[in-house]
Coordinates of all heavy atoms in Angstrom, one line a residue:
M1 N 104.9 135.9 78.6 CA 103.6 135.9 79.3 C 102.6 136.9 78.5 O 103.1 137.8 77.8 CB 103.8 136.4 80.7 CG 102.7 136.0 81.6 SD 103.2 135.4 83.2 CE 103.9 136.9 83.9
Q2 N 101.4 136.7 78.8 CA 100.3 137.5 78.1 C 100.5 139.0 78.3 O 100.7 139.5 79.4 CB 99.0 137.1 78.6 CG 97.8 137.8 78.0 CD 97.5 137.3 76.6 OE1 97.5 136.1 76.3 NE2 97.3 138.3 75.6
K3 N 100.4 139.8 77.2 CA 100.3 141.2 77.3 C 99.0 141.7 76.9 O 98.2 141.0 76.2 CB 101.4 141.8 76.4 CG 102.8 141.7 76.9 CD 103.7 142.3 75.9 CE 105.1 142.2 76.4 NZ 106.1 142.4 75.3
C4 N 98.6 142.9 77.3 CA 97.4 143.5 76.9 C 97.4 143.7 75.3 O 98.4 144.2 74.8 CB 97.2 144.9 77.5 SG 95.8 145.8 76.9
E5 N 96.4 143.3 74.6 CA 96.4 143.4 73.2 C 96.1 144.8 72.7 O 96.3 145.1 71.6 CB 95.3 142.4 72.6 CG 95.7 141.0 72.7 CD 94.7 140.1 71.9 OE1 93.7 140.5 71.5 OE2 95.1 138.9 71.8
N6 N 95.7 145.6 73.7 CA 95.4 147.0 73.3 C 96.6 147.9 73.5 O 96.9 148.7 72.7 CB 94.2 147.5 74.1 CG 93.6 148.8 73.6 OD1 93.4 148.9 72.4 ND2 93.4 149.7 74.5
C7 N 97.2 147.8 74.7 CA 98.3 148.8 75.0 C 99.7 148.1 75.3 O 100.6 148.8 75.7 CB 97.9 149.7 76.2 SG 97.7 148.8 77.7
N8 N 99.7 146.8 75.2 CA 101.0 146.0 75.4 C 101.5 146.0 76.9 O 102.6 145.7 77.1 CB 102.1 146.5 74.5 CG 102.1 145.7 73.2 OD1 101.6 144.6 73.2 ND2 102.7 146.3 72.2
T9 N 100.6 146.3 77.8 CA 101.0 146.2 79.2 C 101.1 144.8 79.6 O 100.2 144.0 79.3 CB 100.0 146.9 80.1 OG1 99.9 148.3 79.8 CG2 100.4 146.8 81.6
Q10 N 102.2 144.4 80.3 CA 102.4 143.0 80.7 C 101.4 142.7 81.9 O 101.4 143.4 82.8 CB 103.8 142.9 81.2 CG 104.2 141.5 81.7 CD 104.6 140.6 80.6 OE1 105.5 140.8 79.8 NE2 103.9 139.5 80.5
F11 N 100.7 141.6 81.7 CA 99.9 141.2 82.9 C 100.8 140.4 83.9 O 101.7 139.7 83.5 CB 98.7 140.2 82.4 CG 97.7 140.9 81.6 CD1 97.0 140.2 80.7 CD2 97.4 142.2 81.7 CE1 96.0 140.8 79.9 CE2 96.4 142.9 80.9 CZ 95.7 142.1 80.0
S12 N 100.5 140.6 85.1 CA 101.3 139.9 86.1 C 100.9 138.5 86.2 O 99.8 138.1 85.9 CB 101.2 140.6 87.5 OG 99.9 140.4 88.0
W13 N 101.8 137.7 86.7 CA 101.6 136.2 86.9 C 100.4 136.0 87.8 O 99.5 135.2 87.6 CB 102.9 135.6 87.4 CG 102.8 134.1 87.7 CD1 103.0 133.1 86.8 CD2 102.4 133.5 88.9 NE1 102.8 131.9 87.4 CE2 102.4 132.1 88.7 CE3 102.0 134.0 90.2 CZ2 102.1 131.2 89.7 CZ3 101.7 133.1 91.2 CH2 101.7 131.7 90.9
S14 N 100.4 136.8 88.9 CA 99.4 136.5 89.9 C 98.0 136.9 89.4 O 97.0 136.3 89.8 CB 99.7 137.3 91.2 OG 99.7 138.7 90.9
K15 N 98.0 137.9 88.5 CA 96.7 138.3 87.9 C 96.1 137.2 87.1 O 94.9 136.9 87.2 CB 96.9 139.5 87.1 CG 95.7 140.4 86.8 CD 96.1 141.6 86.0 CE 94.9 142.5 85.6 NZ 94.4 143.2 86.7
I16 N 96.9 136.6 86.3 CA 96.5 135.5 85.5 C 96.2 134.2 86.3 O 95.1 133.6 86.1 CB 97.6 135.1 84.4 CG1 97.8 136.3 83.5 CG2 97.1 133.9 83.6 CD1 99.0 136.2 82.5
F17 N 97.0 134.0 87.3 CA 96.8 132.8 88.2 C 95.5 132.9 88.9 O 94.7 132.0 89.1 CB 98.0 132.8 89.2 CG 98.1 131.5 90.0 CD1 98.4 130.3 89.3 CD2 97.9 131.5 91.3 CE1 98.5 129.1 90.0 CE2 98.0 130.3 92.1 CZ 98.3 129.1 91.4
K18 N 95.2 134.1 89.4 CA 93.9 134.3 90.1 C 92.7 134.1 89.2 O 91.7 133.6 89.6 CB 93.8 135.8 90.7 CG 94.4 135.9 92.1 CD 94.3 137.3 92.6 CE 95.4 137.7 93.5 NZ 95.8 139.1 93.4
S19 N 92.9 134.5 87.9 CA 91.8 134.3 86.9 C 91.5 132.8 86.8 O 90.3 132.4 86.7 CB 92.3 134.9 85.6 OG 91.7 134.2 84.5
F20 N 92.5 131.9 86.9 CA 92.3 130.5 86.8 C 91.4 130.0 88.0 O 90.5 129.2 87.8 CB 93.6 129.7 86.9 CG 94.5 129.9 85.8 CD1 95.8 129.4 85.8 CD2 94.1 130.5 84.6 CE1 96.7 129.5 84.8 CE2 94.9 130.6 83.5 CZ 96.2 130.1 83.6
W21 N 91.7 130.6 89.2 CA 90.9 130.1 90.4 C 89.4 130.5 90.3 O 88.6 129.8 90.8 CB 91.5 130.8 91.6 CG 92.8 130.1 92.0 CD1 94.0 130.6 91.9 CD2 92.9 128.8 92.6 NE1 95.0 129.7 92.4 CE2 94.3 128.6 92.8 CE3 92.0 127.8 92.9 CZ2 94.8 127.4 93.3 CZ3 92.5 126.6 93.4 CH2 93.9 126.4 93.6
W22 N 89.1 131.6 89.6 CA 87.8 132.0 89.4 C 87.2 131.5 88.1 O 86.7 132.3 87.3 CB 87.6 133.5 89.6 CG 88.0 134.0 90.9 CD1 89.2 134.5 91.3 CD2 87.3 133.9 92.1 NE1 89.2 134.8 92.6 CE2 88.0 134.4 93.1 CE3 86.0 133.5 92.4 CZ2 87.6 134.5 94.4 CZ3 85.5 133.6 93.7 CH2 86.3 134.1 94.7
T23 N 87.5 130.2 87.8 CA 87.0 129.6 86.6 C 87.3 130.4 85.3 O 86.4 130.8 84.6 CB 85.5 129.1 86.6 OG1 84.7 130.3 86.9 CG2 85.3 128.1 87.7
Y24 N 88.5 130.8 85.2 CA 89.0 131.6 84.0 C 88.2 132.9 83.9 O 87.8 133.3 82.8 CB 88.9 130.8 82.7 CG 89.5 129.5 82.8 CD1 88.8 128.3 82.7 CD2 90.9 129.3 83.0 CE1 89.4 127.0 82.8 CE2 91.5 128.1 83.1 CZ 90.8 127.0 83.0 OH 91.3 125.7 83.1
K25 N 88.1 133.6 85.0 CA 87.5 134.9 85.0 C 88.3 135.9 84.1 O 89.5 135.8 84.0 CB 87.7 135.5 86.5 CG 86.9 136.7 86.8 CD 87.0 136.9 88.3 CE 86.8 138.4 88.7 NZ 88.0 139.2 88.5
P26 N 87.5 136.7 83.3 CA 88.2 137.6 82.4 C 89.2 138.6 83.1 O 88.9 138.9 84.3 CB 87.0 138.4 81.8 CG 85.9 137.5 81.9 CD 86.1 136.7 83.2
I27 N 90.3 138.9 82.5 CA 91.3 139.8 83.1 C 91.1 141.2 82.5 O 90.9 141.4 81.3 CB 92.7 139.3 82.7 CG1 92.9 137.9 83.4 CG2 93.7 140.3 83.2 CD1 94.3 137.4 83.0
Q28 N 91.1 142.2 83.4 CA 91.0 143.6 83.0 C 92.4 144.2 83.0 O 93.1 144.1 84.0 CB 90.0 144.3 83.8 CG 89.8 145.8 83.3 CD 88.7 146.5 84.1 OE1 88.4 146.1 85.2 NE2 88.1 147.4 83.4
C29 N 92.8 144.9 82.0 CA 94.1 145.6 81.9 C 94.1 146.7 82.9 O 93.1 147.5 82.9 CB 94.3 146.1 80.5 SG 95.8 147.0 80.4
D30 N 95.1 146.8 83.7 CA 95.2 147.9 84.7 C 95.4 149.2 84.1 O 95.1 150.3 84.6 CB 96.4 147.6 85.7 CG 96.1 146.5 86.6 OD1 94.9 146.3 87.0 OD2 97.0 145.8 87.1
N31 N 96.0 149.2 82.9 CA 96.4 150.4 82.3 C 95.3 151.0 81.4 O 95.0 152.2 81.6 CB 97.6 150.2 81.4 CG 98.2 151.4 80.8 OD1 98.4 152.4 81.5 ND2 98.5 151.4 79.5
C32 N 94.6 150.2 80.6 CA 93.6 150.8 79.7 C 92.2 150.3 79.9 O 91.3 150.7 79.3 CB 94.0 150.6 78.2 SG 93.9 148.8 77.7
G33 N 92.1 149.2 80.8 CA 90.8 148.8 81.2 C 90.1 147.8 80.2 O 89.0 147.4 80.5
V34 N 90.8 147.4 79.2 CA 90.2 146.5 78.2 C 90.2 145.1 78.9 O 91.1 144.6 79.5 CB 91.1 146.4 76.9 CG1 90.7 145.2 76.1 CG2 90.9 147.7 76.1
I35 N 89.0 144.4 78.6 CA 88.8 143.1 79.2 C 89.4 142.0 78.3 O 89.2 142.1 77.1 CB 87.3 142.8 79.4 CG1 86.6 143.9 80.2 CG2 87.0 141.5 80.0 CD1 86.8 143.9 81.6
H36 N 90.1 141.0 78.8 CA 90.6 139.9 78.1 C 90.0 138.6 78.6 O 90.0 138.4 79.8 CB 92.1 139.8 78.2 CG 92.8 140.9 77.5 ND1 92.7 142.2 77.9 CD2 93.6 141.0 76.4 CE1 93.4 143.0 77.1 NE2 94.0 142.3 76.2
T37 N 89.6 137.8 77.7 CA 89.1 136.4 78.1 C 90.0 135.4 77.6 O 90.7 135.5 76.6 CB 87.6 136.2 77.5 OG1 87.7 136.6 76.1 CG2 86.6 137.1 78.2
I38 N 90.0 134.2 78.3 CA 90.8 133.1 77.9 C 90.4 132.5 76.6 O 89.2 132.5 76.4 CB 90.9 132.1 79.1 CG1 92.1 131.1 78.9 CG2 89.6 131.3 79.2 CD1 92.5 130.4 80.1
T39 N 91.3 132.0 75.8 CA 90.9 131.3 74.6 C 90.6 129.9 74.9 O 91.0 129.4 75.9 CB 92.1 131.4 73.5 OG1 93.2 130.8 74.1 CG2 92.4 132.8 73.2
T40 N 89.9 129.2 74.0 CA 89.6 127.8 74.1 C 90.9 127.0 74.2 O 91.1 126.1 75.0 CB 88.8 127.3 72.9 OG1 87.7 128.2 72.7 CG2 88.2 125.9 73.2
L41 N 91.9 127.4 73.4 CA 93.2 126.8 73.4 C 93.8 127.0 74.8 O 94.5 126.1 75.3 CB 94.1 127.4 72.3 CG 95.5 126.8 72.2 CD1 95.4 125.4 71.7 CD2 96.3 127.6 71.2
G42 N 93.6 128.2 75.3 CA 94.2 128.5 76.7 C 93.7 127.6 77.7 O 94.4 127.1 78.6
R43 N 92.4 127.3 77.7 CA 91.8 126.4 78.7 C 92.4 125.0 78.5 O 92.7 124.3 79.5 CB 90.3 126.3 78.5 CG 89.5 127.5 78.9 CD 88.0 127.4 78.7 NE 87.4 128.6 78.9 CZ 86.4 128.8 79.7 NH1 86.0 127.8 80.5 NH2 85.8 130.0 79.9
S44 N 92.5 124.6 77.2 CA 93.1 123.2 77.0 C 94.5 123.2 77.5 O 94.9 122.1 77.9 CB 93.1 122.9 75.5 OG 91.8 123.3 74.9
T45 N 95.2 124.3 77.3 CA 96.6 124.3 77.8 C 96.7 124.1 79.3 O 97.5 123.4 79.8 CB 97.3 125.7 77.4 OG1 97.1 125.9 76.0 CG2 98.7 125.7 77.7
V46 N 95.8 124.7 80.0 CA 95.8 124.6 81.5 C 95.6 123.1 81.8 O 96.3 122.5 82.6 CB 94.7 125.4 82.2 CG1 94.7 125.2 83.7 CG2 95.0 126.9 81.9
T47 N 94.6 122.5 81.2 CA 94.3 121.1 81.4 C 95.5 120.2 81.0 O 95.9 119.3 81.8 CB 93.1 120.6 80.5 OG1 92.1 121.5 80.7 CG2 92.7 119.2 80.9
A48 N 96.1 120.5 79.9 CA 97.3 119.8 79.4 C 98.5 119.9 80.4 O 99.2 118.9 80.5 CB 97.7 120.2 78.0
L49 N 98.6 121.0 81.0 CA 99.7 121.2 81.9 C 99.5 120.6 83.3 O 100.4 120.4 84.1 CB 100.1 122.7 82.1 CG 100.8 123.3 80.9 CD1 100.8 124.8 81.0 CD2 102.2 122.8 80.8
T50 N 98.2 120.4 83.7 CA 97.9 120.0 85.1 C 97.5 118.5 85.1 O 98.1 117.7 85.7 CB 96.9 120.9 85.7 OG1 95.7 120.9 84.9 CG2 97.4 122.3 85.9
I51 N 96.3 118.3 84.5 CA 95.7 116.9 84.6 C 96.6 115.9 83.9 O 96.9 114.8 84.4 CB 94.3 116.9 84.0 CG1 93.5 118.1 84.5 CG2 93.6 115.6 84.2 CD1 93.1 118.0 86.0
V52 N 97.0 116.2 82.6 CA 97.7 115.2 81.8 C 99.0 114.7 82.4 O 99.2 113.5 82.5 CB 97.9 115.7 80.3 CG1 98.7 114.7 79.5 CG2 96.5 116.0 79.7
P53 N 99.9 115.6 82.8 CA 101.1 115.1 83.4 C 100.9 114.2 84.7 O 101.6 113.3 84.9 CB 101.9 116.3 83.8 CG 101.3 117.4 83.0 CD 99.9 117.1 82.8
M54 N 99.9 114.6 85.5 CA 99.5 113.9 86.7 C 99.1 112.5 86.3 O 99.5 111.5 86.9 CB 98.4 114.6 87.4 CG 98.0 114.0 88.7 SD 96.9 115.0 89.6 CE 95.4 114.9 88.7
L55 N 98.2 112.3 85.3 CA 97.7 111.0 84.9 C 98.8 110.2 84.3 O 99.0 109.0 84.6 CB 96.6 111.2 83.9 CG 95.3 111.8 84.5 CD1 94.2 111.9 83.4 CD2 94.7 111.0 85.6
V56 N 99.6 110.8 83.5 CA 100.7 110.1 82.8 C 101.7 109.6 83.9 O 102.1 108.4 83.9 CB 101.5 111.0 81.8 CG1 102.8 110.3 81.4 CG2 100.6 111.3 80.6
F57 N 102.0 110.4 84.9 CA 102.9 110.0 86.0 C 102.2 108.9 86.8 O 102.8 107.8 87.0 CB 103.2 111.2 86.9 CG 104.0 110.8 88.1 CD1 105.4 110.6 88.0 CD2 103.4 110.6 89.3 CE1 106.1 110.2 89.1 CE2 104.1 110.2 90.4 CZ 105.5 110.0 90.3
G58 N 101.0 109.1 87.1 CA 100.3 108.1 87.9 C 100.1 106.7 87.3 O 100.3 105.7 87.9
Y59 N 99.9 106.7 86.0 CA 99.6 105.4 85.3 C 100.9 104.8 84.8 O 101.0 103.6 84.8 CB 98.6 105.6 84.1 CG 97.2 105.8 84.6 CD1 96.5 107.0 84.5 CD2 96.5 104.7 85.1 CE1 95.2 107.1 84.9 CE2 95.2 104.7 85.5 CZ 94.6 106.0 85.4 OH 93.3 106.1 85.9
F60 N 101.8 105.6 84.3 CA 102.9 105.0 83.5 C 104.3 105.2 84.2 O 105.1 104.3 84.1 CB 103.0 105.6 82.1 CG 101.7 105.4 81.4 CD1 100.9 106.6 81.1 CD2 101.2 104.2 81.0 CE1 99.7 106.4 80.4 CE2 100.0 104.0 80.3 CZ 99.3 105.2 80.0
L61 N 104.5 106.3 84.8 CA 105.9 106.7 85.1 C 106.2 106.5 86.6 O 107.4 106.5 87.0 CB 106.2 108.1 84.8 CG 106.1 108.5 83.3 CD1 106.3 110.0 83.1 CD2 107.0 107.7 82.5
S62 N 105.3 106.3 87.4 CA 105.6 106.3 88.9 C 106.4 105.1 89.2 O 106.1 103.9 88.9 CB 104.3 106.2 89.7 OG 104.6 106.0 91.0
P63 N 107.6 105.3 89.9 CA 108.4 104.2 90.3 C 108.0 103.6 91.6 O 108.7 102.7 92.1 CB 109.8 104.9 90.4 CG 109.5 106.3 90.7 CD 108.1 106.6 90.2
F64 N 107.0 104.2 92.2 CA 106.6 103.8 93.6 C 105.5 102.8 93.6 O 104.6 102.9 92.8 CB 106.2 105.0 94.4 CG 107.2 106.2 94.3 CD1 106.9 107.3 93.6 CD2 108.3 106.1 95.0 CE1 107.8 108.3 93.5 CE2 109.3 107.1 95.0 CZ 109.0 108.2 94.2
N65 N 105.6 101.9 94.5 CA 104.5 100.9 94.6 C 103.4 101.4 95.5 O 102.3 100.9 95.6 CB 105.0 99.5 95.1 CG 105.8 98.8 94.1 OD1 105.5 98.9 92.9 ND2 107.0 98.2 94.4
N66 N 103.8 102.4 96.3 CA 102.8 103.0 97.3 C 101.9 104.0 96.6 O 102.3 105.0 96.1 CB 103.7 103.6 98.4 CG 102.8 104.1 99.5 OD1 101.6 104.5 99.3 ND2 103.3 104.1 100.7
I67 N 100.6 103.7 96.6 CA 99.6 104.5 95.9 C 99.6 105.9 96.5 O 99.4 106.9 95.8 CB 98.2 103.8 95.9 CG1 97.2 104.6 95.2 CG2 97.7 103.6 97.4 CD1 97.3 104.5 93.7
F68 N 99.8 106.0 97.8 CA 99.7 107.4 98.4 C 100.9 108.2 98.0 O 100.7 109.4 97.8 CB 99.7 107.2 99.9 CG 98.4 106.5 100.4 CD1 98.5 105.2 100.9 CD2 97.2 107.2 100.3 CE1 97.3 104.6 101.3 CE2 96.0 106.5 100.7 CZ 96.1 105.2 101.2
V69 N 102.0 107.7 97.9 CA 103.2 108.4 97.4 C 103.0 108.8 95.9 O 103.2 110.0 95.6 CB 104.5 107.5 97.5 CG1 105.7 108.3 96.9 CG2 104.8 107.2 98.9
T70 N 102.4 107.9 95.2 CA 102.2 108.2 93.7 C 101.2 109.4 93.6 O 101.4 110.3 92.9 CB 101.6 107.0 93.0 OG1 102.6 105.9 93.1 CG2 101.3 107.2 91.6
I71 N 100.1 109.3 94.4 CA 99.1 110.4 94.3 C 99.6 111.7 94.8 O 99.4 112.7 94.2 CB 97.8 110.0 95.2 CG1 97.1 108.9 94.5 CG2 96.9 111.2 95.4 CD1 95.9 108.3 95.3
S72 N 100.4 111.7 95.9 CA 101.0 112.9 96.4 C 101.9 113.6 95.4 O 101.8 114.8 95.1 CB 101.8 112.6 97.7 OG 101.1 112.0 98.6
I73 N 102.8 112.8 94.7 CA 103.7 113.3 93.7 C 102.9 113.8 92.5 O 103.2 114.8 91.9 CB 104.8 112.3 93.4 CG1 105.7 112.1 94.6 CG2 105.6 112.8 92.2 CD1 106.7 111.1 94.4
G74 N 101.8 113.0 92.2 CA 100.9 113.4 91.0 C 100.3 114.8 91.3 O 100.3 115.6 90.4
I75 N 99.9 115.0 92.5 CA 99.3 116.3 92.9 C 100.3 117.4 92.8 O 100.1 118.5 92.3 CB 98.6 116.2 94.3 CG1 97.4 115.4 94.2 CG2 98.3 117.6 94.8 CD1 96.7 115.0 95.5
L76 N 101.5 117.1 93.3 CA 102.6 118.0 93.2 C 103.0 118.5 91.8 O 103.2 119.6 91.5 CB 103.9 117.4 93.9 CG 104.9 118.3 94.6 CD1 104.2 118.9 95.8 CD2 106.1 117.5 94.9
I77 N 103.0 117.5 90.9 CA 103.2 117.7 89.5 C 102.1 118.6 88.9 O 102.4 119.6 88.2 CB 103.3 116.4 88.7 CG1 104.5 115.6 89.1 CG2 103.2 116.7 87.2 CD1 104.6 114.2 88.5
S78 N 100.9 118.4 89.3 CA 99.8 119.2 88.7 C 99.9 120.7 89.3 O 99.6 121.6 88.6 CB 98.4 118.6 89.0 OG 98.1 118.8 90.3
I79 N 100.3 120.8 90.5 CA 100.5 122.1 91.1 C 101.6 122.9 90.3 O 101.4 124.1 90.0 CB 100.8 122.1 92.6 CG1 99.6 121.6 93.4 CG2 101.3 123.4 93.1 CD1 99.8 121.3 94.8
V80 N 102.7 122.2 90.1 CA 103.8 122.8 89.3 C 103.3 123.2 87.9 O 103.5 124.4 87.5 CB 105.0 121.9 89.2 CG1 106.0 122.4 88.2 CG2 105.6 121.7 90.5
G81 N 102.5 122.4 87.3 CA 101.9 122.7 85.9 C 101.0 123.9 86.0 O 101.0 124.7 85.1
F82 N 100.3 124.0 87.1 CA 99.3 125.1 87.3 C 100.1 126.4 87.5 O 99.6 127.4 87.0 CB 98.5 124.7 88.6 CG 97.2 125.4 88.6 CD1 96.3 125.4 87.5 CD2 96.7 126.0 89.7 CE1 95.1 126.0 87.6 CE2 95.5 126.7 89.8 CZ 94.7 126.6 88.7
M83 N 101.3 126.3 88.1 CA 102.0 127.5 88.3 C 102.8 128.0 87.0 O 103.1 129.2 86.9 CB 103.0 127.3 89.4 CG 102.3 127.2 90.8 SD 103.4 126.7 92.1 CE 104.0 128.3 92.6
I84 N 103.0 127.0 86.1 CA 103.7 127.3 84.9 C 102.7 127.9 83.9 O 103.0 128.8 83.0 CB 104.4 126.1 84.3 CG1 105.5 125.6 85.2 CG2 104.9 126.3 82.9 CD1 106.1 124.3 84.8
A85 N 101.4 127.4 84.0 CA 100.4 127.8 83.1 C 100.2 129.3 82.8 O 100.1 129.6 81.6 CB 99.0 127.2 83.5
P86 N 100.3 130.2 83.8 CA 100.1 131.6 83.4 C 101.1 132.1 82.4 O 100.9 133.1 81.7 CB 100.3 132.3 84.8 CG 99.9 131.3 85.8 CD 100.4 130.0 85.2
F87 N 102.3 131.5 82.3 CA 103.3 131.9 81.3 C 103.0 131.6 79.9 O 103.4 132.2 79.0 CB 104.7 131.3 81.7 CG 105.3 131.8 83.0 CD1 105.2 131.0 84.1 CD2 105.8 133.0 83.1 CE1 105.8 131.4 85.3 CE2 106.4 133.5 84.2 CZ 106.3 132.7 85.4
V88 N 102.2 130.5 79.7 CA 101.9 130.0 78.4 C 100.5 130.2 77.9 O 100.3 130.2 76.7 CB 102.3 128.5 78.2 CG1 103.9 128.4 78.3 CG2 101.7 127.7 79.3
V89 N 99.6 130.4 78.8 CA 98.2 130.5 78.4 C 97.9 131.8 77.7 O 98.4 132.8 78.1 CB 97.2 130.3 79.6 CG1 95.8 130.7 79.3 CG2 97.3 128.8 80.1
R90 N 97.1 131.7 76.7 CA 96.8 132.9 75.9 C 95.4 133.5 76.2 O 94.4 132.7 76.3 CB 96.8 132.6 74.4 CG 98.2 132.3 73.9 CD 99.1 133.6 73.8 NE 100.3 133.3 74.4 CZ 101.0 134.2 75.2 NH1 100.5 135.4 75.3 NH2 102.1 134.0 75.7
Y91 N 95.3 134.8 76.3 CA 94.0 135.5 76.4 C 93.8 136.3 75.2 O 94.8 136.7 74.5 CB 94.0 136.4 77.7 CG 93.8 135.6 79.0 CD1 94.8 134.8 79.5 CD2 92.6 135.7 79.7 CE1 94.6 134.1 80.7 CE2 92.4 135.0 80.8 CZ 93.4 134.2 81.3 OH 93.2 133.5 82.5
K92 N 92.6 136.7 74.9 CA 92.4 137.6 73.8 C 91.4 138.7 74.2 O 90.6 138.5 75.1 CB 91.9 136.9 72.5 CG 90.5 136.2 72.6 CD 90.2 135.8 71.2 CE 88.7 135.3 71.1 NZ 88.4 134.1 71.9
K93 N 91.6 139.8 73.5 CA 90.8 141.0 73.8 C 89.3 140.7 73.6 O 88.9 140.1 72.5 CB 91.2 142.1 72.8 CG 90.8 143.5 73.3 CD 91.6 144.5 72.6 CE 91.3 144.7 71.1 NZ 92.0 145.8 70.5
Q94 N 88.5 141.1 74.5 CA 87.0 140.9 74.4 C 86.5 141.9 73.4 O 86.8 143.1 73.6 CB 86.4 140.9 75.7 CG 85.0 140.3 75.8 CD 84.4 140.3 77.2 OE1 84.4 141.3 77.9 NE2 84.0 139.2 77.7
L95 N 85.6 141.5 72.5 CA 85.1 142.4 71.6 C 83.8 143.1 72.1 O 83.1 142.5 72.9 CB 84.8 141.7 70.2 CG 86.0 141.1 69.6 CD1 85.6 140.2 68.4 CD2 87.0 142.2 69.1
Ligands
ZN101 ZN1 95.8 147.7 78.2

């Protein structure tokens, strides 16, 4: 998971997760106060982990004929992707 590029303090999962909710709000390090912003790649990663698996499941993989079941599971998959995202998304020190 992302660490502070200045002092190597580990950012918490919830801190990064909350940043997503506020349209990728910059994260401030609790220890040294340096601001970190999400990278373009980081934003793409969030999309790749949430929207893409949901669409792939919905269009190609769903074994269900029921559209509501398919949508519900698709949403569940995107929520799981969203929860995994803080572990892989990269932030960089703001200059
Ligand atoms: Zn720091």
Side-chain angles (χ1 to χ4, degrees):
M1 201 142 67
Q2 180 77 45
K3 284 180 179 163
C4 174
E5 288 187 349
N6 193 45
C7 67
N8 267 339
T9 301
Q10 178 86 59
F11 293 153
S12 67
W13 178 88
S14 61
K15 201 177 178 71
I16 299 172
F17 193 66
K18 272 184 211 144
S19 151
F20 292 168
W21 284 108
W22 298 99
T23 58
Y24 309 114
K25 188 169 156 282
I27 295 175
Q28 186 171 25
C29 175
D30 286 331
N31 189 45
C32 69
V34 165
I35 309 281
H36 291 67
T37 46
I38 195 163
T39 59
T40 313
L41 182 67
R43 287 178 192 241
S44 314
T45 307
V46 178
T47 310
L49 282 169
T50 54
I51 312 289
V52 175
M54 182 171 72
L55 292 180
V56 168
F57 176 79
Y59 282 110
F60 306 111
L61 299 178
S62 176
F64 308 107
N65 288 321
N66 187 326
I67 184 74
F68 296 107
V69 176
T70 301
I71 289 174
S72 305
I73 293 177
I75 290 170
L76 210 68
I77 290 172
S78 75
I79 290 171
V80 171
F82 205 47
M83 292 173 84
I84 294 168
F87 292 104
V88 290
V89 168
R90 292 288 130 218
Y91 281 71
K92 65 172 191 291
K93 196 161 78 175
Q94 198 176 52
L95 300 171

